[in-house]
């Protein structure tokens, strides 16, 4: 019988020279050539390269740990007429996870022959056999990931070959051997070599005595192993750097579980650090399925270094209940409390509204640091504006180093920290449903903990209560940081609220970027120099002098600050739902002046073109005690190009306002944006306007953005009612 039963169970070494010689459906070994935004290029031969598109991956492209030159396994999905090769993901990424290997040599004599493989030592691969007696400390059916599936796959293949050859020999006079009882041997987990090693026949009494002796030996070894396990001394995860090659015992909480193409990887957290612990049953099969995220466990295993990262090869895993579990839980809780809360907040610059929220900033910083230490993802929601992006980038700059320090995985910073910009400052049901859907999928599919949701400059008004409430139903922690006044209902709904107005401070000269930058240094003071220029970048006008001086002292003069602000504002508009992590980091922290200068020039060109058109088509009006400038934004602006209407009306108001009683309005088909030189209570304006035009369907859609919605058919009535209501407030 052939040793390969299914082509899908083997990988092929391609020795052809044309893409059209490949066979779709087969798995091939290739070499990583390089990355693109849309996937990975893999060389299957010297001049045959295919694309593994990011949509084919079972993880984020950014988290793939392949390097150029790495050998990988892929499946050929399709070869197009033009020679382009579409590749598919293979969950099996080592020789041992396939049942064999064949040569694909379209033009040669070697086609179909087995691939000669070598063991790591450089010699030919040999079949590993299991001892007939003795007991390891791992549970039945579970092997360490370092043992892999090599022995089992090779033993199965060799057993079938031997069985076939013995059958062909036709020697009917010999005693039964492994070839005759291969099914029994497979069921007992023994290799064919072990069966062959036994005598062809022995008296039954001798066999029984030997079985008894073997049983005694097994019990003795098992007892020794149990005694050794009981006597093992617990070590901390922070100390395993010096224990490579040692078998150790660790205790802690399961922070996450991920199933790879080979072992199951349990991320374990103790009071000192986090480490990966790999347990292997067989390729792609979940080890210890009863273990869940949040369980307190004891793990015995050997410390190894794989791809430069420490990993514990699990030999035994025990869930700790009762007093043992309580002891570990208390140990972790005590350490977490000590480590999570900062000692104090040292503001970037003296600013009264920031000083007023010192305690709540500490509470927010502790919540963020605790989430990192507990291996909970952090989801940051901020507005898609320059101020919002600056705020999000400041917190991101502080948190990512903590995640890298805490978690050994290369992709941990993408796994545990996400920024999701919002179109508006309202955290509505659409955004909340998106977040809840993702977090429940991650919980159910990947055993992730529920995230901390951090809202910066958003979520502090009553319009966000439905979204915040949905998060609360699932127990997700909610932290809101906003410079503008927050509503009382929000304070009662969220876990932490950082809001100067709640402390009686006047925060009219405070931006969200300045407040979040102070939060970032409370979370991680090591980034103080990195973020010191960000408060100045977050202001379009009336920036407090202390922030301008702080930026200049770190090498950012007024022109550079302006360029950064304009560049971020432009990039915030395009692909506004994306975090653009690397691009924003380049602009604000890591790139030379050329990048910001180039992008800010585009900002000014686009903005000036729109402003010039808008100013030429402004309608000037006098309504009661106020003067108004009204722009028909549907007729005289590009609604689906930069700048967005909110930014356009902001700039128009800065350039056209006259006196202390002036309003600027950008009027669309079913919404308008209102800006005023004085303080307007937008809710009061809408309430009064709704009384004047009850059929217009007026509603305050965005308090922070000054956006009011109305019915399309009542456009003129809505405008008149809003202007009259605004005039009443002046």
């Amino acid at each position: 019988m052939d040793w390969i039963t299914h082509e899908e169970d083997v990988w092929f070494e391609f020795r052809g020279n044309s893409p059209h010689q490949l066979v779709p459906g087969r798995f091939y070994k290739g070499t990583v050539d390089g990355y693109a935004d849309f996937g990975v290029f893999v060389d299957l031969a010297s001049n045959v390269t295919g694309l593994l598109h990011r949509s084919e991956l079972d993880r984020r492209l950014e988290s793939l740990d392949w390097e150029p030159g790495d050998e990988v396994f892929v499946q050929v999905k399709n070869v197009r007429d033009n020679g382009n090769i579409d590749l598919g993901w293979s969950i099996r990424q080592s020789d041992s996870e396939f049942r064999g290997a064949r040569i694909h040599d379209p033009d040669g004599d070697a086609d179909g022959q087995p691939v000669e493989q070598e063991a790591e030592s450089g010699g030919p691969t040999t079949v590993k056999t299991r001892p007939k007696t003795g007991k390891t400390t791992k549970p039945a059916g579970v092997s360490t990931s370092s043992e892999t599936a090599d022995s089992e796959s090779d033993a199965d293949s060799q057993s079938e070959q031997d069985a076939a050859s013995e059958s062909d020999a036709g020697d009917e006079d010999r005693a039964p051997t492994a070839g005759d009882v291969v099914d029994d041997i497979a069921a007992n987990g023994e290799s064919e070599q072990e069966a062959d090693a036994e005598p062809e026949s022995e008296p039954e009494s001798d066999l029984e005595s030997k079985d008894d002796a073997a049983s005694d030996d097994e019990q003795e070894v098992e007892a020794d192993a149990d005694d050794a396990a009981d006597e093992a001394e617990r070590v901390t995860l922070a100390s395993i750097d010096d224990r490579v090659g040692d078998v150790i015992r660790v205790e802690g909480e399961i922070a996450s579980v991920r199933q790879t193409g080979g072992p199951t990887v349990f991320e374990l957290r103790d009071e000192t650090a986090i480490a990966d612990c790999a347990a292997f049953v067989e390729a792609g099969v979940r080890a210890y399925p009863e273990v869940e995220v949040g369980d307190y466990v004891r793990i015995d295993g050997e410390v190894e270094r794989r791809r430069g990262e420490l990993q514990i090869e699990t030999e035994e895993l025990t869930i700790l209940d009762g007093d043992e579990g309580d002891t570990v839980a208390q140990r972790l809780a005590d350490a977490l409390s000590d480590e999570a809360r900062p000692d104090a907040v040292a503001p970037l610059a003296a600013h009264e509204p920031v000083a007023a929220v010192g305690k709540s900033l500490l509470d927010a910083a502790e919540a963020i640091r605790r989430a990192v230490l507990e291996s909970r993802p952090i989801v940051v929601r901020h507005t898609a504006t320059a101020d919002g992006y600056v705020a999000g980038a400041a917190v991101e700059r502080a948190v990512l180093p903590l995640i890298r320090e805490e978690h050994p995985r290369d992709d941990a910073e993408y796994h545990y920290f996400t920024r999701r910009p919002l179109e508006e400052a309202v955290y509505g049901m659409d955004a909340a449903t998106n977040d809840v859907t993702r977090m429940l999928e991650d919980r159910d599919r990947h055993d992730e903990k529920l995230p901390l949701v951090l809202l910066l400059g958003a979520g502090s008004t009553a319009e966000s209560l439905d979204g915040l409430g949905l998060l609360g139903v699932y127990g997700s922690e909610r932290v809101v940081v906003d410079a503008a006044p927050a509503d009382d209902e929000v304070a009662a709904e969220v876990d932490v609220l950082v809001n100067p107005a709640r402390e009686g401070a006047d925060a009219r000269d405070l931006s969200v970027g300045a407040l979040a930058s102070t939060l970032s240094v409370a979370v991680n003071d090591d980034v103080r120099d990195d973020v010191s220029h960000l408060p100045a970048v977050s202001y379009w006008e009336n920036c407090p002098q202390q922030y301008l001086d702080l930026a200049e002292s770190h090498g950012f003069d007024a022109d550079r600050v302006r360029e950064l602000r304009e560049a971020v504002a432009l990039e915030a508009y395009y692909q506004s739902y994306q975090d653009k992590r690397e691009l924003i980091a380049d602009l604000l922290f890591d790139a030379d002046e050329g990048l910001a200068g180039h992008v800010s020039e585009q900002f000014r060109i686009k903005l000036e073109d729109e402003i010039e058109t808008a100013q030429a088509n402004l309608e000037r009006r006098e309504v009661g005690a106020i003067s108004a400038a009204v722009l028909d934004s549907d007729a005289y602006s590009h609604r689906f190009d930069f700048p967005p209407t909110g930014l356009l009306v902001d700039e128009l108001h800065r350039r056209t306002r006259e006196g202390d009683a002036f309003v600027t309005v950008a009027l669309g088909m079913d919404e308008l944006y209102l800006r005023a030189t004085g303080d307007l209570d937008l809710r009061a304006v809408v309430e009064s306007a709704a009384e004047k035009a009850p059929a217009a369907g007026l509603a305050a859609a965005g308090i922070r953005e000054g956006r009011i919605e109305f019915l399309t058919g009542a456009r003129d009535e809505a405008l008149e009612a809003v202007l009259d209501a605004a005039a009443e407030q002046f």
Side-chain angles (χ1 to χ4, degrees), residues 16 47 54-55 63 70 161 196 216 222 280 336 406 472 545 583 588 612 622 625 636 642 647 717 722:
N47 60 342
R54 65 187 308 156
S55 62
S63 68
D70 284 355
Q161 284 183 317
D196 289 340
D216 292 340
E222 181 175 347
F280 189 84
L336 190 62
E406 191 68 21
Q545 188 61 44
L583 176 58
L588 291 176
E612 183 178 351
E622 300 293 330
Y636 300 109
F642 186 84
L647 194 153
E717 296 93 324
V722 168

Side-chain angles (χ1 to χ4, degrees), residues 367-372 376-380 395 399 403 415-419 451-454:
I368 293 169
R369 291 172 60 88
R370 183 180 290 271
V372 174
R376 282 188 291 131
I378 297 172
V379 176
V380 176
V395 174
V399 174
I403 293 175
H415 186 71
Y416 289 107
F417 188 94
T418 305
R419 280 193 297 105
L452 162 70
V453 178
L454 172 63

Side-chain angles (χ1 to χ4, degrees), residues 619 621 630 665 667 672 698 710 714-724:
E619 178 188 353
R621 304 180 63 168
V630 180
V665 177
L667 180 66
L672 64 81
L698 286 154
F710 50 82
R715 187 170 184 254
D716 293 338
E717 296 93 324
L719 174 62
E720 297 298 333
V722 168
L723 289 176
D724 287 343

Side-chain angles (χ1 to χ4, degrees), residues 270-348:
D270 74 358
E271 69 274 21
T272 64
I274 286 181
D276 283 347
C277 304
F280 189 84
V281 180
E282 59 180 280
V285 175
R286 172 75 142 82
Y288 301 100
E290 72 279 7
V291 177
E292 299 178 350
V293 170
D295 283 346
Y296 297 103
V297 301
R298 175 185 299 121
I299 291 177
D300 295 319
E302 181 179 350
V303 181
E304 293 192 0
R305 192 177 297 277
R306 294 186 176 275
R307 297 183 179 180
E309 296 178 359
L310 288 174
Q311 179 173 282
I312 299 173
E313 306 295 338
T314 302
E315 296 181 358
E316 184 173 15
L317 187 154
T318 304
I319 297 177
L320 301 178
D321 295 320
D323 291 342
E324 287 185 310
D326 292 343
T327 299
V328 175
Q330 189 60 51
R331 186 192 303 146
L332 267 62
D334 293 343
L336 190 62
S337 296
D338 292 340
E339 189 173 355
R341 189 168 184 86
D343 294 331
V345 175
L348 292 166

Side-chain angles (χ1 to χ4, degrees), residues 154-214:
D154 293 344
D156 290 343
S157 300
Q158 187 65 38
S159 296
E160 293 184 20
Q161 284 183 317
D162 292 345
S165 62
E166 289 173 5
S167 176
D168 293 342
D171 185 0
E172 299 177 356
D173 296 328
R174 58 173 171 76
T177 66
D180 301 306
V181 293
V182 62
D183 291 337
D184 292 336
I185 292 172
N188 292 327
E190 296 179 350
S191 68
E192 198 173 299
Q193 285 81 350
E194 293 170 331
D196 289 340
E198 296 183 8
E200 294 185 354
S201 64
E202 281 191 76
E204 186 174 344
S205 60
D206 290 345
L207 288 173
E208 290 178 353
S209 63
K210 289 193 174 186
D211 287 342
D212 292 340

Side-chain angles (χ1 to χ4, degrees), residues 379-382 422 426-427 453-460 468 471 478-482 494:
V379 176
V380 176
R381 287 293 204 166
H382 60 79
L422 292 164
V426 173
Y427 185 69
V453 178
L454 172 63
L455 295 118
L456 302 175
S460 65
L468 293 170
L471 291 179
R478 298 150 296 171
V479 176
V480 174
V481 178
D482 200 356
V494 302

Side-chain angles (χ1 to χ4, degrees), residues 253-271:
E253 179 187 13
I254 297 296
S256 71
V257 183
R258 63 186 188 275
Q259 184 60 55
T260 71
T264 305
V265 180
F266 297 95
E267 191 176 43
L268 185 73
R269 176 178 69 87
D270 74 358
E271 69 274 21

